[in-house]
Amino acid sequence: VELPRGATGVEWGTDLSFVGVYVRALLPGGAAEQSGLVEPGDQLVAVGGAPVFDATFDAAMTALATVGAAPTLEFFRGSRGELLEAVGRETKKTGTATVTVVDPSGRRREIVVQPGANLRDTLVNDGIDVYRGTTAWTNCAGHQMCGTRGAGVLVL
């Protein structure tokens, strides 16, 4: 699928591993939606012919930012396991992750995150405000998806 760089009309996502990129949502009227070829859940596998299916989220976004004005993007429709099987990679068995969230008052909450889940989505769906103050509404139309997040992540 050829989509204009910077105006793909795609909200990108990744899972807890931050490896692999998928289509989180299509922006109404955007190039991806208008193409009729891209759906939420599709996984980005190549940018301009270069594989990104096993790249980190940042590396895949860098690939998107450095290609021509209308790069060819290749997608896979299916699970991450099916994609890895299709390219001859073995899938790892993983379990759930438990994330401890500490709110500003010091209250702790344990959130269980399923394998392959998007951490930000899981936190937002569990009522956790991942942005503080007005940044929740001044960035990305209040969708809590821009880079000025207020929640910190500490990996132990």
Side-chain angles (χ1 to χ4, degrees), residues 101-123:
V101 177
V102 182
D103 70 19
S105 70
R107 189 182 79 157
R108 300 170 69 88
R109 286 181 55 193
E110 301 286 323
I111 308 293
V112 177
V113 183
Q114 298 300 315
N118 179 291
L119 176 58
R120 186 198 58 78
D121 288 348
T122 300
L123 293 173

Side-chain angles (χ1 to χ4, degrees), residues 78-148:
S79 71
R80 180 80 178 151
E82 291 168 332
L83 169 59
L84 293 176
E85 185 177 312
V87 297
R89 298 274 176 95
E90 189 174 315
T91 59
K92 298 177 185 174
K93 303 284 186 207
T94 59
T96 60
T98 301
V99 176
T100 302
V101 177
V102 182
D103 70 19
S105 70
R107 189 182 79 157
R108 300 170 69 88
R109 286 181 55 193
E110 301 286 323
I111 308 293
V112 177
V113 183
Q114 298 300 315
N118 179 291
L119 176 58
R120 186 198 58 78
D121 288 348
T122 300
L123 293 173
V124 169
N125 291 339
D126 213 326
I128 305 297
D129 183 8
V130 297
Y131 295 92
R132 294 191 180 128
T134 58
T135 59
W137 299 107
T138 59
N139 290 291
C140 291
H143 295 291
Q144 296 196 40
M145 297 184 326
C146 292
T148 56

Side-chain angles (χ1 to χ4, degrees), residues 3 5-6 8 12 21 44-53 55-73:
L3 298 174
R5 183 176 59 124
T8 60
W12 302 106
V21 175
L44 182 63
V45 296
V47 175
V52 295
F53 69 90
T56 64
F57 183 83
D58 288 345
M61 294 300 104
T62 298
L64 279 171
T66 58
V67 293
T72 299
L73 306 180

